[in-house]
Amino acid sequence: MYVTAPLPEHAAPETTPAKPSISRHRTMTLMPGTHLFLEGDPADRIYEVASGVLRLTRIMEDGRRQVIAFGYPGDTVGFPSDGLYHTDCDALVPSTLVVHRRDHLESAKGDPVLHQRLLKAALREISGMQDHFMMLGRKSSVEKLASFLRVLTTRVGEPLGDFDQVTLPMTRADIADFLGLTTETVSRTFTQLRKSRIIAIDHVNTVIILKPIALRAIAEGDDG
Amino acid sequence: MYVTAPLPEHAAPETTPAKPSISRHRTMTLMPGTHLFLEGDPADRIYEVASGVLRLTRIMEDGRRQVIAFGYPGDTVGFPSDGLYHTDCDALVPSTLVVHRRDHLESAKGDPVLHQRLLKAALREISGMQDHFMMLGRKSSVEKLASFLRVLTTRVGEPLGDFDQVTLPMTRADIADFLGLTTETVSRTFTQLRKSRIIAIDHVNTVIILKPIALRAIAEGDDG
DNA sequence: CGACGCGTTGATATGGCTCAAGAGTGGTGG
DNA sequence: CCACCACTCTTGAGCCATATCAACGCGTCG
């Protein structure tokens, strides 16, 4: 779900409307501001993002927030534990999802292919989360932002002339809560990368990677 | 960095005393200082901790380290992604492991019960990691240490008179690298909790929880 | 006994937070 | 089309929690 994951073999699936199908999945649309589920909800369903971007968050009583992951096309969200969801989930942009009934996926009787895919998705998720740990626990603010931009570029970047460009559907506050920073620090760090000509910024939420090598060096702490 | 000089070679698995078993798993012993696997190793096997404590770590080029998890009995380690391990794994104390061949677990042809258990374990892992995120990204040092002690107490605490006691097989450096702190800060925070009579410390690595309620309040940020 | 690894404590430095003020940006209604 | 408002983003100044640097005690092991 977080973004180190390799590209999914299954791109956007087609809706198979009324026709009875062995794998009984449907699709649905989720609009920004709408929650797919909340922490503590019974987890009946598991979702694959077909298009759009989701946001998975945890919130503490006093309001502190941690963005656990952004769900991009190909990602799976809604992994249950003890039958419950453990994050909130909503959409950053209008998103379409493939809905799977949990009991079909988890039980040994369900479709073994789907079952297999769920396991793969879970393992990818674990791997991605492990990267995120290093970032949260041990990296400086520039390193965090550089890593973030790199992962996003790899995953959803688009070529623009000689450069790669990436659109950020999330706010600075979302990025801050993902990286364990404040919005002010995220903003200052963007400025820092911009002033050193490593990135350029269009329209606040469009970033052009001018020096990918330098960005990687920073992300991995290879510099001073 | 390491407590004892780590042996470069991987531990040699021992065959279990031949006991006829339908599911072809074996057990093995892992001694402190020996690595079960390293980041980047091909992930053929998945392990269940039967006894002991494992340590899963990620290390950056410049030596910065993040402890991803401690593996206690009942935990599963070695979740692969793209066929590779994504952390290093070694033992903090002599540990016994149940070894599963990955191909038996992941393929649809394998034992469905084991398959089911692997998925459950992966889902539990994801849930636990989500807690860890909040801790790394958004909690203060006291909150981190209090959370850590609470989780450990719940998991492996032993009653001692009216109180719960927990043994810490890991060093302060391990705790620091798990919580995203320095050893000095961990040490000072232990002292702080000790001075406020919330915990007591025996033998450096044995903690007695004197005020579990207060500890929980701190862990969850319910105090000033 | 000395050396080494670990833990604690102290003094100082600093990266990122907090508080505060503007500057974009987008939406809405007149 | 503009005026206004709400919200997000940026920038600045000062502060604080934690890191860093350093010293020392303690236990273990050779």
Side-chain angles (χ1 to χ4, degrees):
Chain A
M1 178 176 327
Y2 172 67
V3 200
T4 313
L7 293 181
E9 50 202 59
H10 277 265
E14 295 299 312
T15 322
T16 42
K19 186 180 181 182
S21 150
I22 302 171
S23 54
R24 301 167 204 174
H25 52 251
R26 310 171 293 131
T27 63
M28 61 174 282
T29 302
L30 187 69
M31 298 305 288
T34 325
H35 282 274
L36 185 59
F37 51 78
L38 295 175
E39 179 176 356
D41 283 354
D44 315 315
R45 316 221 126 83
I46 290 168
Y47 305 88
E48 280 179 272
V49 182
S51 73
V53 188
L54 304 187
R55 172 176 61 187
L56 289 132
T57 52
R58 271 266 188 112
I59 300 186
M60 287 174 64
E61 286 181 5
D62 60 9
R64 275 179 285 179
R65 191 178 72 141
Q66 176 71 41
V67 171
I68 305 292
F70 297 107
Y72 274 89
D75 290 335
T76 300
V77 308
F79 295 114
S81 187
D82 301 322
L84 303 177
Y85 294 121
H86 282 71
T87 66
D88 298 343
C89 179
D90 64 353
L92 293 173
V93 298
S95 306
T96 57
L97 311 170
V98 182
V99 187
H100 297 283
R101 286 192 49 182
R102 188 183 140 215
D103 48 12
H104 289 176
L105 286 170
E106 280 192 36
S107 82
K109 299 147 210 148
D111 182 343
V113 174
L114 278 179
H115 196 176
Q116 194 72 0
R117 268 174 68 199
L118 177 61
L119 180 58
K120 276 267 181 338
L123 294 176
R124 230 186 304 125
E125 175 82 1
I126 289 171
S127 169
M129 287 174 116
Q130 288 171 350
D131 294 337
H132 197 180
F133 278 133
M134 180 60 89
M135 198 163 71
L136 279 173
R138 286 290 173 231
K139 288 189 176 179
S140 70
S141 54
V142 228
E143 289 169 351
K144 286 177 179 182
L145 189 60
S147 306
F148 178 66
L149 290 175
R150 262 174 56 72
V151 167
L152 231 53
T153 304
T154 307
R155 189 75 191 279
V156 294
E158 305 158 9
L160 176 82
D162 290 345
F163 303 115
D164 274 349
Q165 167 181 299
V166 63
T167 301
L168 307 173
M170 66 291 284
T171 66
R172 300 292 189 258
D174 288 329
I175 298 173
D177 288 342
F178 183 70
L179 300 177
L181 299 169
T182 59
T183 67
E184 293 95 328
T185 298
V186 170
S187 185
R188 280 185 243 273
T189 307
F190 267 117
T191 302
Q192 177 186 339
L193 289 175
R194 185 167 44 74
K195 285 193 175 159
S196 49
R197 306 277 168 203
I198 290 170
I199 63 171
I201 298 181
D202 260 18
H203 294 310
V204 197
N205 60 349
T206 305
V207 175
I208 299 160
I209 312 297
L210 301 177
K211 298 180 185 164
I213 312 288
L215 195 68
R216 192 183 67 185
I218 291 174
E220 267 141 48
D222 286 2
D223 74 338
Chain B
M1 203 76 170
Y2 279 88
V3 179
T4 43
L7 302 181
E9 292 307 304
H10 291 26
E14 321 168 335
T15 11
T16 197
K19 173 183 152 193
S21 158
I22 303 169
S23 52
R24 304 166 202 172
H25 51 248
R26 307 167 295 133
T27 65
M28 61 173 283
T29 303
L30 186 71
M31 297 304 288
T34 53
H35 283 274
L36 184 60
F37 51 77
L38 295 175
E39 180 176 356
D41 282 355
D44 316 314
R45 316 221 129 81
I46 290 168
Y47 305 88
E48 279 180 271
V49 183
S51 74
V53 188
L54 303 186
R55 171 177 61 186
L56 290 133
T57 52
R58 271 268 186 107
I59 299 185
M60 286 173 66
E61 285 180 8
D62 60 8
R64 276 179 284 177
R65 191 178 72 139
Q66 176 71 43
V67 172
I68 304 291
F70 297 107
Y72 274 90
D75 289 335
T76 300
V77 306
F79 295 114
S81 188
D82 300 323
L84 303 176
Y85 294 121
H86 282 71
T87 65
D88 298 344
C89 178
D90 64 351
L92 294 173
V93 298
S95 306
T96 57
L97 312 170
V98 182
V99 186
H100 297 283
R101 286 192 47 184
R102 188 183 141 215
D103 50 11
H104 288 177
L105 286 170
E106 281 193 33
S107 80
K109 298 148 208 145
D111 183 340
V113 174
L114 278 179
H115 197 177
Q116 194 73 359
R117 267 173 67 198
L118 176 62
L119 180 58
K120 276 268 182 334
L123 294 177
R124 229 184 305 119
E125 177 81 1
I126 289 171
S127 169
M129 287 175 116
Q130 288 172 350
D131 293 338
H132 197 179
F133 277 133
M134 181 60 89
M135 200 163 70
L136 279 173
R138 286 291 175 231
K139 288 190 178 179
S140 70
S141 54
V142 228
E143 289 170 351
K144 286 178 178 179
L145 188 61
S147 305
F148 178 66
L149 291 175
R150 263 173 56 72
V151 168
L152 234 53
T153 304
T154 307
R155 188 78 190 279
V156 293
E158 305 158 7
L160 176 83
D162 290 346
F163 304 114
D164 274 349
Q165 169 181 298
V166 64
T167 301
L168 307 174
M170 67 292 286
T171 66
R172 298 292 189 257
D174 288 329
I175 298 173
D177 287 342
F178 183 68
L179 299 178
L181 299 170
T182 60
T183 67
E184 293 95 329
T185 298
V186 168
S187 185
R188 280 185 242 273
T189 307
F190 266 117
T191 303
Q192 175 185 339
L193 289 175
R194 185 168 43 74
K195 286 194 173 160
S196 48
R197 304 278 168 203
I198 290 170
I199 64 173
I201 298 181
D202 259 16
H203 296 307
V204 198
N205 61 349
T206 305
V207 175
I208 299 160
I209 312 298
L210 301 177
K211 297 180 186 165
I213 312 287
L215 194 68
R216 192 183 68 183
I218 292 174
E220 268 144 45
D222 287 2
D223 74 338

